[in-house]
Amino acid sequence: MINACVIGWPIAHSRSPLIHGYWLKQYGIDGSYTRRPVEPASLAAFLADLPQSGLAGCNVTLPHKEAVFGLVTPADASTKRLGAVNTLFLRDGHALGTNTDGEGFINSLQSSVPGFNITNERAMVLGAGGASLAVVNAILEQGASEVVVANRTLEKAEQLRQRFGPKVLPLVWDEAGDQLTECGLLVNTTSLGMKGQPEVGLNMSRLPAEAIVTDIVYTPLRTKFLVDATARGNRTVDGLGMLLHQAVRGFSLWFGVTPQVTDELHDLVARDIDPDYKR
Ligand code: ATR
């Protein structure tokens, strides 16, 4: 029996058990994946105990992604650049930390938009928080020529430039609409548009018709941001794909099978978000 879990604080609403539970059943693996509440004060003790805990590893979610980075060995250069961990696994009795959010973001786009490629293209990312970090890093790793980061708090966008270099162009929020010309990709990484939050409210009239628009918010599945982009004729990709695709590598590391993100899995999680969901 192989065990894994997701740690966070709070953790009750995590959909990761639904995703990994589906795959465990699908591939007939004798394993478990559970939610484990870990409060910030207990994080170091949890990590110290991990090699002896009987767990093969775990996912790490809010608010622990950056704290865990400071407490374990990063498994790869991309995670080192990012400074945040969402997946832990054991090697030779030692916990290693990696981050699958960026590949989740890119693989979601590639599976929804065949031939998706932003090499030498300009992208705009709305927001400069934790989610933005992974998205900006992934876009740069794909070879984008520049990434405009528009944020309410300009200093946070400037910090992304310090971290990732001069291809990141910080921008004040109010100028975002004007800078959409020549963007091949537009991403919302803010919490705007989430149930109970104000809408993004961006004027997209300058966005090229060929640009792809995606939102990392997936509650609701079809945010107003995506509905507006679709109405203009842009191709859109919802945020659920990133959640599903970021789970793939952890499952493979712990359980030894690289799982498929199927339509059936997408619809299972979509119905958990919205019981009335129809493909
Ligand atoms: P996450 O880890 O999910 O990215 P976060 O680090 O709290 O969460 O970041 C939230 C993002 O949404 C930030 O870019 C935030 O802008 P600030 O850096 O100015 O706080 C953005 N955001 C949240 N509420 C917003 C609002 N009402 N208007 C504009 N941006 C908002």
Side-chain angles (χ1 to χ4, degrees):
M1 170 107 173
I2 304 171
N3 303 304
C5 68
V6 55
I7 63 165
W9 185 261
I11 197 62
H13 301 293
S14 170
R15 290 194 169 84
S16 292
L18 187 60
I19 300 168
H20 290 281
Y22 168 86
W23 283 330
L24 286 170
K25 203 168 147 206
Q26 194 74 10
Y27 296 104
I29 294 169
D30 183 18
S32 76
Y33 184 102
T34 54
R35 294 184 187 91
R36 191 163 309 188
V38 174
E39 58 182 316
S42 307
L43 185 62
F46 173 85
L47 295 174
D49 181 54
L50 187 59
Q52 304 79 246
S53 65
L55 291 165
C58 64
N59 279 127
V60 177
T61 188
L62 301 179
H64 298 319
K65 291 184 181 189
E66 280 159 35
V68 167
F69 176 80
L71 293 168
V72 302
T73 308
D76 46 79
S78 182
T79 304
K80 256 186 224 161
R81 248 191 320 276
L82 207 55
V85 160
N86 80 338
T87 302
L88 287 165
F89 60 100
L90 299 177
R91 281 292 171 275
D92 305 323
H94 185 77
L96 295 182
T98 189
N99 197 307
T100 64
D101 285 332
E103 70 210 46
F105 174 74
I106 297 294
N107 291 340
S108 168
L109 286 168
Q110 285 178 339
S111 72
S112 294
V113 182
F116 170 79
N117 184 358
I118 46 163
T119 309
N120 298 322
E121 287 212 47
R122 171 183 165 96
M124 183 178 293
V125 175
L126 306 176
S132 170
L133 205 67
V135 165
V136 170
N137 190 39
I139 292 172
L140 290 172
E141 285 179 357
Q142 292 294 304
S145 56
E146 50 191 20
V147 185
V148 180
V149 177
N151 198 46
R152 176 178 61 177
T153 311
L154 184 63
E155 294 93 302
K156 282 171 72 183
E158 284 166 346
Q159 283 164 14
L160 288 194
R161 182 180 170 97
Q162 279 157 21
R163 180 179 280 272
F164 296 125
K167 287 185 179 169
V168 173
L169 306 178
L171 186 69
V172 289
W173 183 259
D174 290 346
E175 288 173 19
D178 289 342
Q179 293 294 322
L180 285 172
T181 44
E182 290 172 33
C183 282
L185 175 67
L186 171 63
V187 190
N188 176 42
T189 74
T190 74
S191 46
L192 295 171
M194 222 177 255
K195 264 180 200 148
Q197 297 285 320
E199 297 298 345
V200 174
L202 178 71
N203 178 349
M204 295 187 206
S205 57
R206 300 206 175 169
L207 186 68
E210 318 74 57
I212 292 155
V213 179
T214 182
D215 201 332
I216 67 155
V217 171
Y218 56 83
T219 53
L221 283 166
R222 299 292 304 165
T223 58
K224 180 153 191 307
F225 180 67
L226 294 180
V227 170
D228 289 351
T230 305
R232 299 186 67 251
N234 289 96
R235 289 197 74 158
T236 63
V237 178
D238 70 37
L240 180 52
M242 177 174 174
L243 177 72
L244 302 177
H245 283 276
Q246 65 77 31
V248 169
R249 189 148 59 91
F251 190 93
S252 163
L253 284 164
W254 310 316
F255 300 114
V257 173
T258 301
Q260 293 296 308
V261 175
T262 57
D263 288 348
E264 187 185 42
L265 173 62
H266 176 278
D267 293 356
L268 176 74
V269 182
R271 279 195 302 275
D272 189 60
I273 294 166
D274 174 5
D276 296 328
Y277 171 80
K278 295 222 167 31
R279 175 167 285 272

